[in-house]
Amino acid sequence: MSNNNYSQDFYEEISLQDLFMALWKQKVLIIIFTLAAAMISGIFSIFILKPVYHARLDIIINMPETYQTKYGDFLLPISTNEQYINLITSSEILKNTIEDMGYDTNEISIESLRDRISIVQTNNNNAGQNSFVIRVAANNPQEAKLLAEVLYNNYIEFVDVLTAKGAVEYFIDYYSVQVSSLNVELKSNKALLEKYTELLASTPMTINQKEAIDSIKSADKISNIVIMENIINPNYTALEQDIIDIKQTINTIESNIDLYNTYLDELKAKKAEIEAYYNTGEFNEISNKIVRVTTSNIYLVSEPVAPSRKSSPNNFRNILIGAVLGAMVSVLAALIREFWFKKDMQ
C-alpha cells in the first residue's frame, strides 16, 4: 500500500503555481547567483580580456592587364583586383610587418597576425575599379594605427617587387633570345659582306663597248648603233648597292645588340636588387628602369587614424550574458533544491 502511494506521489504533476512558489522561495539564491555571475563576467571582461581596437584602410585598386615599361609592354601576372587585395595577407608581407613592428615572434606568428586582418569588398558600380576596406586589430589605438600604416607600406612595396620581379625575368629572357638571334644574323651578314666585297673587287667598274662590238662577227648588222668605248658596268653598280644595304643592316643589328645588352645589364642589376630584398627584406625604391605599378593603380583614400573606442570586448554585453547564464543556472539549482532534495527528505 505504501509503495503505491510513493509511486503516485512521484509521478504527481507539478503545477505552474508550484513552480512560481518554488522560485519565489529560492529568490535569494537566484539573485545571489545572478549577481555573482554578472560580477564575474564583468571582472573578466574589464580586467582580464585584452581590449581590441580596429584601424581602417580604404583602398581603391584599378590594375591594368598590361603595363608599359621602357623595355616594352609587360603582361601582369595577376588578372583581378580581388587577387591583388588578397596579397595583403601573404606570408612575406606579414613577416616583414612583424619585423617592422618589433613584435616578438614567439608571441605573434604570421598566422595570428593574419587573423587580425579582415578584408571587406564594398559595392562599386564601376566594374573596372574596386574599393576595399581593410580592418586591422591591435591592443591599443596607436598600435592599431601604426600596424595599419606598416601593413599598407609593406603591401605596396611587395606588389611593386612582385611585378618588377616578373617583368625583369621576362625581359631578361626576351632580350637574351633577341641578342642571340641578332648575333647569328650579324655573323651571316658579315660573311655575305665579305663575299660581295671580294666579288666587287673582281668585277670591272666599266665595260668597253667597242671591244665588245668588235668581237661580234656580224658587226655590219649593227653599224647604225652609236658605240661608246667605256660604259658603267651594271653588275658593279648592283654589287655596290648590295654592299651598302648589307653595311646598313650590320649597323642596325650592332646598334640593337648594344641597346639590348645595355637593357640586360640594367635588368640584371635590378634582378640582384630584387633578390637582395627577398634575402634581407631591404629594398630601395624602384627606379625609373622599372616603373612602379602601384603609383597610379592602387590608392589609399585617406591615412589610417587611431580608433577612438575599442571594438571588443563589449563589457555591457558580457555582463548581460553572464547575468542571463547565472539566472538560468540559479533557477535550475532552485528547482532541484525545492523539488528533488525536499522530496528525498520526505
Side-chain angles (χ1 to χ4, degrees), residues 60-62 81-82 121-131:
I60 295 176
I61 302 179
N62 186 23
N81 294 328
E82 289 81 2
Q121 182 177 9
T122 60
N123 295 326
N124 198 317
N125 296 326
N126 186 353
Q129 180 174 321
N130 286 332
S131 176

Side-chain angles (χ1 to χ4, degrees), residues 92 95-96 99 157 161 164-165 168-169 267-285:
E92 189 69 31
K95 173 176 169 290
N96 292 337
E99 293 177 357
E157 184 178 89
V161 173
K165 181 176 182 291
V168 164
E169 292 177 349
L267 290 165
K268 289 175 181 178
K270 186 58 60 182
K271 184 178 181 180
E273 186 179 346
I274 293 171
E275 290 175 350
Y277 166 80
Y278 284 109
N279 293 331
T280 64
E282 297 295 331
F283 184 77
N284 298 326
E285 186 171 310

Side-chain angles (χ1 to χ4, degrees), residues 57-61 85 88 130-132 134 152 298-300:
L57 291 168
D58 294 293
I59 301 175
I60 295 176
I61 302 179
I85 197 63
I88 202 168
N130 286 332
S131 176
F132 302 90
I134 309 297
Y152 179 76
I298 298 181
Y299 309 91
L300 183 62

Side-chain angles (χ1 to χ4, degrees), residues 23-242:
L23 294 176
W24 179 254
K25 290 179 182 179
Q26 302 296 330
K27 60 182 178 294
V28 176
L29 174 66
I30 295 173
I31 293 173
I32 292 175
F33 261 84
T34 301
L35 293 178
M39 290 179 62
I40 293 173
S41 298
I43 292 173
F44 185 80
S45 178
I46 296 171
F47 298 105
I48 298 179
L49 289 179
K50 292 183 178 180
V52 177
Y53 295 85
H54 280 93
R56 170 175 172 149
L57 291 168
D58 294 293
I59 301 175
I60 295 176
I61 302 179
N62 186 23
M63 297 295 288
E65 293 183 0
T66 59
Y67 202 78
Q68 294 180 345
T69 71
K70 65 176 291 185
Y71 308 106
D73 291 343
F74 173 63
L75 181 64
L76 295 177
I78 301 177
S79 57
T80 66
N81 294 328
E82 289 81 2
Q83 291 173 328
Y84 275 104
I85 197 63
N86 287 334
L87 290 175
I88 202 168
T89 58
S90 62
S91 298
E92 189 69 31
I93 294 175
L94 298 183
K95 173 176 169 290
N96 292 337
T97 301
I98 290 173
E99 293 177 357
D100 293 341
M101 291 294 295
Y103 288 145
D104 186 351
T105 54
N106 294 323
E107 297 179 359
I108 298 181
S109 63
I110 291 176
E111 291 76 14
S112 63
L113 181 58
R114 184 178 287 118
D115 292 337
R116 293 163 60 176
I117 302 170
S118 58
I119 304 172
V120 181
Q121 182 177 9
T122 60
N123 295 326
N124 198 317
N125 296 326
N126 186 353
Q129 180 174 321
N130 286 332
S131 176
F132 302 90
V133 174
I134 309 297
R135 288 169 55 85
V136 181
N139 293 330
N140 61 72
Q142 294 303 322
E143 181 187 358
K145 176 180 179 294
L146 180 60
L147 179 58
E149 292 173 344
V150 172
L151 178 67
Y152 179 76
N153 291 334
N154 285 330
Y155 168 67
I156 292 298
E157 184 178 89
F158 180 81
V159 173
D160 280 331
V161 173
L162 180 67
T163 306
K165 181 176 182 291
V168 164
E169 292 177 349
Y170 168 79
F171 287 120
I172 285 178
D173 291 340
Y174 174 78
Y175 286 114
S176 295
V177 172
Q178 290 296 312
V179 169
S180 178
S181 177
L182 287 174
N183 279 322
V184 172
E185 187 178 353
L186 179 63
K187 183 178 179 180
S188 175
N189 277 273
K190 284 184 175 180
L192 188 60
L193 176 63
E194 183 179 355
K195 178 180 177 181
Y196 277 26
T197 302
E198 293 176 356
L199 185 59
L200 181 66
S202 62
T203 301
M205 183 181 300
T206 61
I207 298 175
N208 191 316
Q209 193 176 24
K210 184 177 180 180
E211 292 179 356
I213 294 299
D214 290 341
S215 64
I216 301 175
K217 294 180 180 180
S218 56
D220 56 331
K221 296 182 181 180
I222 54 175
S223 59
N224 58 338
I225 298 176
V226 177
I227 299 173
M228 302 178 63
E229 291 189 0
N230 293 309
I231 63 172
I232 299 298
N233 187 349
N235 293 330
Y236 188 92
T237 304
L239 283 172
E240 276 189 326
Q241 185 60 49
D242 289 341

